[in-house]
């Protein structure tokens, strides 16, 4: 089948089938871990909504969802770790089990901020499900309770991840050709 945006991509890292299989495995694990517990999945807009929707449908215990939107200060290449909440939780998470659902963990600064932010709201617990992680880029120790895949130190798009708002609807995870963003600040000197 013809891959959407194929001419802009260098390598396809994970296919639709590989993603679906991994998401189902994660869903089964989460279902077992949260059986009988009030679980709220908190997705981070915009990138995580694709992963959130698929992961949630593979969970076989009652679960609710909420969404937060954040904006990071600083350019992509110098993530400051200072994060502003642009859209807060709609419901209280007090005494509930919170599962933060993130698209990709790069330096880990955003995720660490979100974990602290949720912990301050007196939940029963806070865990993290991330679709992708770039271990070589982590600048802080990150808590990744459920992880889809590790990716190399390259700029990836698809399955919700964009570059300048494009490529989110690509059903695979792929490396974007560097010439697409040449001359721009994002992404950085990877
Ligand atoms: P961190 O705070 O971990 O450095 O930044 C995480 C955020 O950076 C992600 O939620 C995502 O928005 C963005 N990001 C990091 N790496 C990539 C990448 O390879 N591709 C895309 N599209 N976004 C990325």
């Amino acid at each position: 089948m013809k891959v959407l945006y194929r001419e802009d991509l260098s390598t396809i890292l994970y296919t639709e089938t590989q993603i679906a299989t991994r998401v189902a495995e994660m869903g089964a694990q989460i279902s077992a871990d949260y059986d009988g517990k009030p679980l709220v999945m908190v997705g981070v807009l915009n990138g995580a909504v694709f992963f959130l929707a698929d992961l949630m449908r593979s969970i076989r215990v009652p679960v609710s969802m909420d969404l937060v939107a954040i904006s990071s200060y600083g350019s992509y290449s110098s993530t400051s770790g200072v994060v502003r909440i642009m859209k807060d939780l709609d419901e209280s998470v007090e005494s509930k089990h919170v599962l933060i659902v993130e698209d990709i963990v790069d330096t880990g600064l955003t995720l660490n901020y979100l974990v602290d932010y949720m912990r301050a709201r007196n939940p029963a617990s806070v865990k993290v499900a991330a679709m992708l992680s770039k271990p070589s880029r982590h600048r802080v120790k990150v808590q990744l309770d459920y992880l889809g895949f590790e990716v190399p130190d390259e700029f990836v798009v698809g399955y919700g991840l964009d570059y300048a708002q494009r490529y989110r609807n690509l059903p695979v995870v792929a490396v974007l050709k560097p010439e697409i963003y040449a001359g721009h600040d994002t992404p950085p000197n990877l």
Side-chain angles (χ1 to χ4, degrees):
M1 197 176 46
K2 186 177 173 294
V3 177
L4 184 67
Y5 307 119
R6 188 67 186 94
E7 63 283 2
D8 295 355
L9 310 174
S10 55
T11 320
I12 294 179
L13 296 175
Y14 298 105
T15 64
E16 262 185 278
T17 311
Q18 286 172 313
I19 294 169
T21 303
R22 185 71 195 112
V23 170
E25 287 169 359
M26 294 171 82
Q29 184 64 55
I30 293 167
S31 306
D33 293 350
Y34 287 93
D35 196 11
K37 296 178 178 173
L39 170 63
V40 53
M41 293 171 77
V42 178
V44 185
L45 293 168
N46 293 328
V49 297
F50 298 70
F51 175 46
L52 174 68
D54 286 345
L55 184 61
M56 204 163 165
R57 279 175 293 185
S58 71
I59 291 176
R60 298 280 174 255
V61 295
V63 53
S64 64
M65 64 172 268
D66 209 332
L67 294 164
V68 293
I70 54 173
S71 86
S72 306
Y73 288 109
S75 62
Y76 178 90
S77 48
S78 57
T79 311
S80 60
V82 180
V83 175
R84 190 154 52 119
I85 301 279
M86 308 297 286
K87 184 216 161 288
D88 207 341
L89 295 164
D90 289 330
E91 305 271 339
S92 165
V93 293
E94 195 168 334
S95 307
K96 294 178 189 163
H97 294 273
V98 173
L99 183 61
I100 298 172
V101 180
E102 186 50 301
D103 50 8
I104 185 164
V105 180
D106 187 52
T107 62
L109 292 167
T110 307
L111 186 59
N112 269 12
Y113 176 88
L114 280 172
V115 169
D116 288 347
Y117 186 84
M118 295 301 156
R119 283 215 180 105
R121 272 142 196 83
N122 300 317
S125 69
V126 179
K127 284 192 178 184
V128 174
M131 186 61 208
L132 304 172
S133 170
K134 288 183 190 169
S136 60
R137 294 257 309 167
H138 292 185
R139 275 168 49 191
V140 286
K141 192 169 161 20
V142 280
Q143 172 195 343
L144 289 177
D145 301 286
Y146 307 95
L147 174 64
F149 302 106
E150 291 188 346
V151 290
D153 191 355
E154 290 179 286
F155 194 78
V156 299
V157 293
Y159 197 59
L161 288 169
D162 75 313
Y163 172 63
Q165 296 304 331
R166 277 166 66 85
Y167 312 105
R168 288 196 203 275
N169 62 327
L170 185 66
V172 303
V173 172
V175 176
L176 190 65
K177 281 184 183 165
E179 60 256 39
I180 302 293
Y181 51 80
H184 297 265
D185 177 57
T186 45
N189 41 333
L190 293 167

